Amino acid sequence: MSTGHNRGTTRLKRSRRAGCPMQGYDRLPPPLRGWMATAALPWSARSCLALWQRALKEGASHREALDRLDRAEAALLARDAAL
């Protein structure tokens, strides 16, 4: 099995991870962990948390923050579909 299990044909770049990615995932708020578990792309806990925190800082509810993540993912998928 290859090392890029969930990458498929996307423009995502391979990167080296600092630390244990599961620890970052485990520290996420439960709604965000749930979103990541069903995401179509292999999001990092760090990038999801950044989008989540930005949305909450701007006054979004948890549901609105998750909707923002859905829109970000849809935009990435649409961009990759144009490849």
Side-chain angles (χ1 to χ4, degrees), residues 2-79:
S2 72
T3 58
H5 303 30
N6 196 16
R7 289 183 66 226
T9 55
T10 70
R11 295 181 190 188
L12 297 176
K13 297 176 184 169
R14 292 186 61 92
S15 62
R16 296 196 181 260
R17 294 180 180 152
C20 178
M22 286 309 293
Q23 287 177 347
Y25 177 83
D26 290 341
R27 286 190 290 259
L28 294 175
L32 186 51
R33 281 196 317 261
W35 183 88
M36 284 187 69
T38 62
L41 295 173
W43 290 86
S44 71
R46 188 175 176 183
S47 62
C48 282
L49 184 59
L51 288 169
W52 172 267
Q53 289 175 332
R54 187 177 312 128
L56 296 181
K57 185 177 179 182
E58 293 171 2
S61 68
H62 286 184
R63 179 71 252 161
E64 291 166 334
L66 294 174
D67 288 343
R68 190 176 295 193
L69 283 160
D70 284 338
R71 288 192 304 274
E73 183 169 60
L76 288 171
L77 289 169
R79 185 183 75 187

